[in-house]
Amino acid sequence: MKWDAPATVELAREHGLSEEEFERILSDLGRVPNLTELGIFAALWSEHCSYKSSRVHLKKFPTRGPRVIQGPGENAGVVDLGQGWVTVFKMESHNHPSFIEPYQGAATGVGGILRDVFTMGARPVMILDSLRFGSLDAPRMPHLVDGVVRGIGDYGNCVGVPTVGGEVDFHPSYNGNILVNAMCVGVARGDGIFYGRASGPGNRVVYLGSKTGRDGIHGATMASDVFDETASAKRPTVQVGDPFTEKLLIECCLELMGKGLVVGIQDMGAAGLTSSAFEMAARAGCGLTLDLSRVPARERGMTPYELMLSESQERMVLVVTPDNVAPVLEVCGRWGLDAVEVGTVIPEPEVVARFEGRQAFRLPLAPLVDDAPRYDRPWVEPAPAAAVTLPNLRDREWAADLREMLASPVFASSRPVWQQYDQSVGASTVIGPGADAALQLIEGTNIGLAATTDCNALACSLDPFNGAAQAVAEAVRNLACVGAEPVGVTDCLNFGSPENPGVMGQFVAAVDGLAEACRAFEVPVVSGNVSFYNETSGTAIVPTPTVGMVGIVPGVRHRPRSHWHLGDAIYLLGPLEGELGGSRYLQIVLGLEAGPVPAVDYDGERRIAAVARDLVRLGLAAAKDLSDGGLAVAAVEMSGGTVGCKLSLPASTSPVRVLFGEWRVGFALATPVAMEPALERACEGLPLTRLGVAGGTKMVVTLGRKTVLEASISELAALSEKGLGWLSEA
């Protein structure tokens, strides 16, 4: 069908628009749109671009704070770090493309989130990835895991930005919809931030980067729809990335911005030239004229419809003054990148495009951006997680239970994943993958920039409110383990179809939980992403509201350690016993996905995390937060697989709740014996238990005078290392 053919209600349905939305388009325009205009409406009104089902709820997030420079609404959030430095960060999903074509889907997800950060004027310094896969025996799952891991590694390594953290989890609900959430953190000088605004009538619009092809067309609308058995037929909508061009694009854009040659800048992400043109114009309250015949095309015969909706990667839109067009083109040419003047900023609030001498479309901004549909969809409050009657857990083989947990993919070491990533490029990484949080030094300073991602989707499936709030609390604890204070949050909210009232109820509860926790910890949400329609043939994923949190260490004096050393004293800071509701022990050992998930003890979390943070900063202790798997799993991780421990529990305690209980406000601490008095003074007034000492080759746990767990520490660590070991050989 020709690009200028009149649209019909049938075509609107094919583009993911409802009949009511098509009628609204007719009313907004006062005429029938052509096919290109219909495609533009479909892209900008898609869930992926318009957030039409979530905006009413996202307003609940706290978005302001003393350090916040830019909150939601731009390409990424910006937070002040001090000494004239800021951090720019965001998390995005690339779930649907990664399920269809895992290598390119994951690679282009990394490329897209890099552009969100450097388009603000910041140099990307770290990448983190939060990955969710289904059962490893599910169809295509090993292929999906391998493709995603290679795609992330190849793209990040080639671009030269270290991948330093993240998480990997497994659950059968992801069999038909894996999740690939990528987070990028960058740094910039506070006076060097740029925005995606097409301001200044008379200024010129410059296209920069790779040529436009037919890959990625309908990517935004595909990401706003459910999958069925025909998912593989959507393969052409997956973009193809070129990390070497991305590297050139980063350096070129940073040079242009550093020389003051740019008025506004935005990457061509979801919906390609459509989103960048209309969103930049709307933010500035101006309009644009475009000559689509001048857009560099990779293929012959491309139409305005294809040129506007292609999601080909590594492309940017710049707004520059007329006098700076020539210098901009000169810099771009020196970097070997295509750069072409393709339009002009106009005062009228509309975008007008011509193609081969004819008008391709003329569309007002308001109906497409600010006045796009907003839905307060029906939702049903999630039922509370039912309490479970547990069997007798008094005299079990606790070592066997621990082995079963560590052999599960859930506790598989992510080493085979992150060893494929370069963590040291840039030479500023202090702590990389495998720790609770990543830590980097800002060049030329002793400021530490930390980041982590977290979400226990199992807990969120049982109780979306408390599960989401607990994700924020754990992220705070993760940062404390490297001595960092939280300064900002980004999120990636992954759910099924918002048209399902049950799913929408999960979303509302999770947003409320996140909002409550962020207010309680005084950590603003400055950026984020919503990914709906993660379901296949009516089966939705479990709610997965992933939290990305950034923290600051004002002065890094040493490298925080995550393992204990021979002879260290081992303490537990916080309650001795945890809760079993929603725990991994119930899920893996007893086969029960059951609650309840406890509410967050905000006062206790704040006080205990603050002390743990100080202990780490002063070098008094190594710290490990007690999350998935509880104390027993944390002990194996802190051992490094080499140094065992002897732990003594009071006879009055429940071994299962001490060893495998979760949701406690606490940390495992390891400190040299000589520093014990200082540690105990620092923890005065807080629950603190001396558990034992690090040493030997075994993990030995006694309850009173009875040994309840004894196992080789190297054997336990090997079980975890084996889980994803096949990736190293793939």
Side-chain angles (χ1 to χ4, degrees), residues 449-512:
L449 180 62
T452 186
T453 65
D454 194 81
C455 178
N456 186 321
L458 170 64
C460 293
S461 70
L462 298 170
D463 186 334
F465 181 94
N466 283 330
Q470 289 283 4
V472 177
E474 185 176 344
V476 171
R477 295 196 299 271
N478 288 343
L479 292 179
C481 289
V482 297
E485 177 183 359
V487 294
V489 161
T490 184
D491 59 58
C492 202
L493 309 180
N494 307 273
F495 290 80
S497 170
E499 298 167 46
N500 180 329
V503 169
M504 200 63 209
Q506 294 173 337
F507 178 80
V508 173
V511 168
D512 287 343

Coordinates of all heavy atoms in Angstrom, one line a residue, residues 449-512:
L449 N 31.3 6.3 42.8 CA 29.9 6.2 42.2 C 29.5 4.8 42.2 O 30.2 3.9 41.6 CB 29.9 6.8 40.8 CG 28.6 6.8 40.0 CD1 27.6 7.6 40.7 CD2 28.9 7.3 38.6
A450 N 28.4 4.4 42.9 CA 28.0 3.0 43.0 C 26.7 2.8 42.3 O 25.9 3.8 42.2 CB 27.9 2.7 44.5
A451 N 26.4 1.6 41.9 CA 25.1 1.3 41.3 C 24.8 -0.2 41.5 O 25.7 -1.0 41.6 CB 25.2 1.6 39.8
T452 N 23.5 -0.5 41.6 CA 23.0 -1.8 41.7 C 21.6 -2.0 41.1 O 20.9 -0.9 40.9 CB 22.9 -2.2 43.2 OG1 22.6 -3.5 43.4 CG2 21.9 -1.3 43.9
T453 N 21.2 -3.2 40.8 CA 19.9 -3.5 40.4 C 19.3 -4.5 41.2 O 20.0 -5.4 41.7 CB 19.8 -3.9 38.9 OG1 20.5 -5.2 38.7 CG2 20.4 -2.9 38.0
D454 N 18.0 -4.5 41.4 CA 17.4 -5.5 42.3 C 15.9 -5.7 42.1 O 15.2 -4.7 41.8 CB 17.6 -5.1 43.8 CG 17.3 -6.3 44.7 OD1 18.2 -7.2 44.9 OD2 16.2 -6.4 45.2
C455 N 15.4 -6.9 42.2 CA 14.0 -7.2 42.2 C 13.8 -8.7 42.5 O 14.4 -9.6 41.8 CB 13.3 -6.9 40.9 SG 11.5 -7.3 40.9
N456 N 13.1 -9.0 43.5 CA 12.7 -10.4 43.8 C 11.3 -10.6 43.3 O 10.3 -10.3 43.9 CB 12.7 -10.7 45.3 CG 12.5 -12.1 45.7 OD1 11.6 -12.8 45.1 ND2 13.2 -12.6 46.7
A457 N 11.2 -11.1 42.0 CA 10.0 -11.2 41.3 C 9.1 -12.2 42.0 O 7.8 -12.1 41.9 CB 10.2 -11.6 39.9
L458 N 9.7 -13.3 42.6 CA 8.8 -14.2 43.3 C 8.1 -13.5 44.4 O 6.8 -13.8 44.6 CB 9.7 -15.3 44.0 CG 9.1 -16.3 45.0 CD1 8.0 -17.1 44.3 CD2 10.1 -17.2 45.6
A459 N 8.7 -12.7 45.2 CA 8.0 -11.9 46.3 C 7.0 -11.0 45.7 O 5.9 -10.9 46.2 CB 9.0 -11.1 47.1
C460 N 7.3 -10.4 44.6 CA 6.3 -9.5 43.9 C 5.1 -10.2 43.4 O 4.0 -9.7 43.3 CB 7.0 -8.7 42.8 SG 8.2 -7.5 43.4
S461 N 5.3 -11.5 43.0 CA 4.1 -12.3 42.6 C 3.2 -12.6 43.7 O 2.0 -12.7 43.6 CB 4.6 -13.5 41.9 OG 5.1 -14.5 42.8
L462 N 3.7 -12.8 44.9 CA 2.9 -13.1 46.1 C 2.3 -11.8 46.7 O 1.2 -11.9 47.2 CB 3.8 -13.8 47.1 CG 4.5 -15.1 46.7 CD1 5.5 -15.6 47.7 CD2 3.4 -16.2 46.5
D463 N 3.1 -10.7 46.7 CA 2.6 -9.5 47.3 C 3.3 -8.3 46.6 O 4.4 -7.9 46.9 CB 3.0 -9.5 48.8 CG 2.4 -8.3 49.5 OD1 2.2 -7.2 48.9 OD2 2.2 -8.4 50.7
P464 N 2.7 -7.8 45.5 CA 3.3 -6.8 44.7 C 3.7 -5.5 45.5 O 4.8 -4.9 45.2 CB 2.3 -6.4 43.6 CG 1.4 -7.6 43.5 CD 1.4 -8.2 44.9
F465 N 2.9 -5.2 46.5 CA 3.2 -4.0 47.2 C 4.5 -4.2 48.1 O 5.5 -3.5 47.9 CB 2.1 -3.6 48.1 CG 2.3 -2.3 49.0 CD1 1.9 -1.1 48.5 CD2 3.0 -2.4 50.2 CE1 2.1 0.1 49.2 CE2 3.2 -1.3 50.9 CZ 2.8 0.0 50.5
N466 N 4.4 -5.2 49.0 CA 5.6 -5.4 49.8 C 6.8 -5.9 49.0 O 8.0 -5.6 49.4 CB 5.2 -6.4 50.9 CG 4.4 -5.8 52.0 OD1 4.6 -4.6 52.3 ND2 3.5 -6.5 52.7
G467 N 6.6 -6.7 48.0 CA 7.7 -7.2 47.2 C 8.4 -6.1 46.5 O 9.7 -6.0 46.5
A468 N 7.7 -5.1 46.0 CA 8.4 -3.9 45.4 C 9.1 -3.1 46.4 O 10.2 -2.6 46.2 CB 7.3 -3.1 44.6
A469 N 8.4 -2.9 47.5 CA 9.1 -2.1 48.6 C 10.4 -2.8 49.1 O 11.4 -2.1 49.4 CB 8.1 -1.9 49.8
Q470 N 10.3 -4.1 49.2 CA 11.5 -4.8 49.6 C 12.6 -4.7 48.6 O 13.8 -4.7 49.0 CB 11.2 -6.3 49.9 CG 10.3 -6.6 51.1 CD 11.1 -6.5 52.4 OE1 12.2 -6.2 52.4 NE2 10.4 -6.8 53.5
A471 N 12.3 -4.6 47.3 CA 13.3 -4.4 46.3 C 14.1 -3.1 46.5 O 15.3 -3.1 46.4 CB 12.7 -4.4 44.9
V472 N 13.4 -2.1 46.9 CA 14.1 -0.8 47.2 C 15.0 -0.9 48.4 O 16.1 -0.5 48.5 CB 13.0 0.3 47.4 CG1 13.7 1.6 47.8 CG2 12.2 0.5 46.2
A473 N 14.4 -1.6 49.5 CA 15.2 -1.8 50.7 C 16.5 -2.6 50.4 O 17.6 -2.3 50.9 CB 14.4 -2.5 51.7
E474 N 16.4 -3.6 49.6 CA 17.6 -4.4 49.3 C 18.6 -3.6 48.5 O 19.8 -3.8 48.7 CB 17.2 -5.7 48.6 CG 18.4 -6.6 48.4 CD 18.2 -7.9 47.8 OE1 17.0 -8.4 47.7 OE2 19.1 -8.6 47.3
A475 N 18.1 -2.8 47.6 CA 19.0 -2.0 46.8 C 19.8 -1.0 47.8 O 21.0 -0.8 47.6 CB 18.3 -1.2 45.8
V476 N 19.1 -0.5 48.8 CA 19.8 0.4 49.8 C 20.9 -0.4 50.5 O 22.0 0.0 50.7 CB 18.8 0.9 50.8 CG1 19.5 1.7 51.9 CG2 17.8 1.9 50.1
R477 N 20.5 -1.7 50.9 CA 21.5 -2.5 51.6 C 22.7 -2.9 50.6 O 23.8 -2.9 51.1 CB 20.9 -3.8 52.1 CG 19.8 -3.5 53.2 CD 19.5 -4.8 53.9 NE 18.9 -5.8 53.1 CZ 17.6 -6.0 52.8 NH1 16.7 -5.1 53.4 NH2 17.2 -6.9 52.1
N478 N 22.4 -3.2 49.4 CA 23.4 -3.5 48.4 C 24.5 -2.3 48.3 O 25.7 -2.6 48.3 CB 22.9 -3.7 47.0 CG 22.1 -5.0 46.9 OD1 22.3 -5.9 47.7 ND2 21.3 -5.1 45.9
L479 N 24.0 -1.1 48.3 CA 24.9 0.0 48.2 C 25.7 0.2 49.5 O 26.9 0.6 49.5 CB 24.1 1.3 47.9 CG 23.4 1.4 46.5 CD1 22.7 2.7 46.4 CD2 24.5 1.3 45.4
A480 N 25.0 -0.1 50.6 CA 25.7 0.0 51.9 C 26.9 -0.9 52.0 O 27.9 -0.6 52.6 CB 24.8 -0.2 53.0
C481 N 26.8 -2.0 51.3 CA 27.9 -3.0 51.3 C 29.2 -2.5 50.6 O 30.3 -3.1 50.8 CB 27.5 -4.3 50.6 SG 26.3 -5.2 51.6
V482 N 29.1 -1.4 49.8 CA 30.3 -0.8 49.3 C 30.5 0.6 49.8 O 31.3 1.4 49.3 CB 30.2 -0.8 47.7 CG1 30.2 -2.2 47.2 CG2 29.1 0.0 47.2
G483 N 29.7 0.9 50.9 CA 29.9 2.2 51.6 C 29.2 3.3 51.0 O 29.5 4.5 51.3
A484 N 28.2 3.1 50.1 CA 27.5 4.1 49.3 C 26.2 4.5 49.9 O 25.4 3.6 50.3 CB 27.4 3.7 47.9
E485 N 25.9 5.8 49.9 CA 24.6 6.3 50.3 C 23.7 6.5 49.0 O 24.2 7.1 48.0 CB 24.8 7.7 51.0 CG 23.5 8.4 51.3 CD 23.7 9.7 52.0 OE1 24.9 10.1 52.1 OE2 22.8 10.4 52.3
P486 N 22.5 6.0 49.0 CA 21.7 6.2 47.8 C 21.3 7.6 47.5 O 21.0 8.4 48.4 CB 20.4 5.4 48.1 CG 20.4 5.3 49.6 CD 21.8 5.4 50.1
V487 N 21.3 8.0 46.2 CA 21.0 9.3 45.8 C 19.9 9.4 44.7 O 19.4 10.4 44.4 CB 22.3 10.1 45.3 CG1 23.3 10.3 46.4 CG2 22.9 9.4 44.1
G488 N 19.6 8.3 44.1 CA 18.6 8.3 43.0 C 18.2 6.9 42.6 O 19.0 6.0 42.7
V489 N 17.0 6.8 42.0 CA 16.5 5.5 41.5 C 16.0 5.7 40.1 O 15.5 6.7 39.7 CB 15.3 5.1 42.4 CG1 14.4 4.1 41.7 CG2 15.8 4.5 43.7
T490 N 16.2 4.7 39.3 CA 15.6 4.5 38.0 C 14.9 3.1 38.1 O 15.2 2.3 39.0 CB 16.6 4.5 36.9 OG1 15.9 4.4 35.6 CG2 17.6 3.4 37.0
D491 N 13.9 2.9 37.3 CA 13.2 1.6 37.4 C 12.8 1.1 36.0 O 12.8 1.8 35.1 CB 11.9 1.8 38.3 CG 10.9 2.8 37.7 OD1 10.5 2.7 36.6 OD2 10.6 3.8 38.4
C492 N 12.5 -0.2 36.0 CA 12.0 -0.8 34.8 C 10.9 -1.7 35.2 O 11.1 -2.8 35.8 CB 13.1 -1.6 34.1 SG 12.8 -1.9 32.4
L493 N 9.6 -1.3 35.0 CA 8.4 -2.0 35.5 C 7.9 -3.0 34.5 O 7.2 -2.5 33.5 CB 7.4 -1.0 35.9 CG 7.9 0.2 36.8 CD1 6.8 1.2 37.2 CD2 8.6 -0.4 38.1
N494 N 8.1 -4.2 34.7 CA 7.8 -5.3 33.7 C 6.6 -6.0 34.2 O 6.6 -6.7 35.2 CB 9.0 -6.3 33.5 CG 10.3 -5.6 33.2 OD1 10.6 -5.3 32.1 ND2 11.1 -5.3 34.3
F495 N 5.5 -6.0 33.3 CA 4.2 -6.6 33.7 C 3.6 -7.2 32.4 O 4.0 -7.0 31.3 CB 3.3 -5.6 34.3 CG 3.7 -5.2 35.7 CD1 4.7 -4.2 35.9 CD2 3.2 -5.7 36.8 CE1 5.1 -3.8 37.1 CE2 3.6 -5.3 38.1 CZ 4.6 -4.4 38.3
G496 N 2.5 -7.9 32.6 CA 1.7 -8.5 31.5 C 0.8 -7.4 30.9 O 1.1 -6.2 31.0
S497 N -0.3 -7.8 30.4 CA -1.2 -6.8 29.7 C -1.9 -5.9 30.6 O -2.6 -6.4 31.6 CB -2.2 -7.6 28.8 OG -3.2 -6.7 28.3
P498 N -1.9 -4.6 30.5 CA -2.6 -3.7 31.3 C -4.1 -3.8 31.1 O -4.9 -3.2 31.9 CB -2.1 -2.3 30.9 CG -1.7 -2.5 29.5 CD -1.2 -3.9 29.4
E499 N -4.6 -4.4 30.0 CA -6.0 -4.6 29.8 C -6.6 -5.7 30.6 O -7.8 -5.9 30.7 CB -6.2 -4.9 28.3 CG -5.7 -3.8 27.4 CD -5.6 -4.2 25.9 OE1 -6.6 -4.8 25.4 OE2 -4.6 -3.9 25.3
N500 N -5.7 -6.4 31.4 CA -6.2 -7.4 32.3 C -6.3 -6.8 33.7 O -5.2 -6.3 34.2 CB -5.2 -8.6 32.3 CG -5.6 -9.7 33.3 OD1 -6.2 -9.4 34.3 ND2 -5.2 -10.9 33.0
P501 N -7.5 -6.6 34.3 CA -7.6 -5.9 35.6 C -6.7 -6.5 36.7 O -6.2 -5.8 37.6 CB -9.1 -6.1 35.9 CG -9.7 -6.2 34.6 CD -8.8 -7.0 33.8
G502 N -6.5 -7.9 36.6 CA -5.6 -8.5 37.6 C -4.2 -8.0 37.5 O -3.5 -7.7 38.5
V503 N -3.7 -8.0 36.2 CA -2.3 -7.5 36.0 C -2.2 -6.0 36.4 O -1.2 -5.6 37.0 CB -1.9 -7.7 34.5 CG1 -0.6 -7.0 34.2 CG2 -1.8 -9.2 34.2
M504 N -3.2 -5.2 36.0 CA -3.2 -3.8 36.3 C -3.2 -3.6 37.8 O -2.5 -2.7 38.3 CB -4.4 -3.1 35.7 CG -4.2 -1.6 35.5 SD -2.9 -1.2 34.4 CE -2.4 0.4 35.1
G505 N -3.9 -4.5 38.5 CA -3.9 -4.4 40.0 C -2.5 -4.6 40.6 O -2.1 -4.0 41.5
Q506 N -1.8 -5.6 40.0 CA -0.4 -5.9 40.4 C 0.5 -4.6 40.1 O 1.3 -4.3 41.0 CB 0.2 -7.1 39.6 CG -0.5 -8.4 39.9 CD 0.0 -9.5 38.9 OE1 0.5 -9.2 37.8 NE2 -0.1 -10.7 39.4
F507 N 0.3 -4.0 39.0 CA 1.1 -2.8 38.6 C 0.8 -1.7 39.6 O 1.8 -1.1 40.2 CB 0.7 -2.4 37.2 CG 1.5 -1.1 36.8 CD1 2.8 -1.2 36.3 CD2 0.8 0.1 36.8 CE1 3.4 0.0 36.0 CE2 1.5 1.3 36.5 CZ 2.8 1.2 36.0
V508 N -0.5 -1.4 39.9 CA -0.8 -0.3 40.8 C -0.2 -0.6 42.2 O 0.4 0.3 42.8 CB -2.3 -0.2 40.9 CG1 -2.7 0.8 42.0 CG2 -2.9 0.3 39.6
A509 N -0.3 -1.8 42.7 CA 0.2 -2.2 44.0 C 1.7 -2.0 44.1 O 2.3 -1.5 45.0 CB -0.2 -3.6 44.4
A510 N 2.4 -2.5 43.0 CA 3.9 -2.4 42.9 C 4.3 -0.9 42.9 O 5.3 -0.5 43.6 CB 4.4 -3.1 41.7
V511 N 3.6 -0.1 42.1 CA 4.0 1.3 42.1 C 3.8 2.0 43.5 O 4.6 2.8 43.9 CB 3.1 2.1 41.0 CG1 3.3 3.6 41.2 CG2 3.6 1.7 39.6
D512 N 2.7 1.6 44.1 CA 2.5 2.2 45.5 C 3.6 1.7 46.4 O 4.1 2.5 47.3 CB 1.1 1.7 46.0 CG -0.1 2.4 45.3 OD1 0.2 3.4 44.7 OD2 -1.2 1.9 45.4

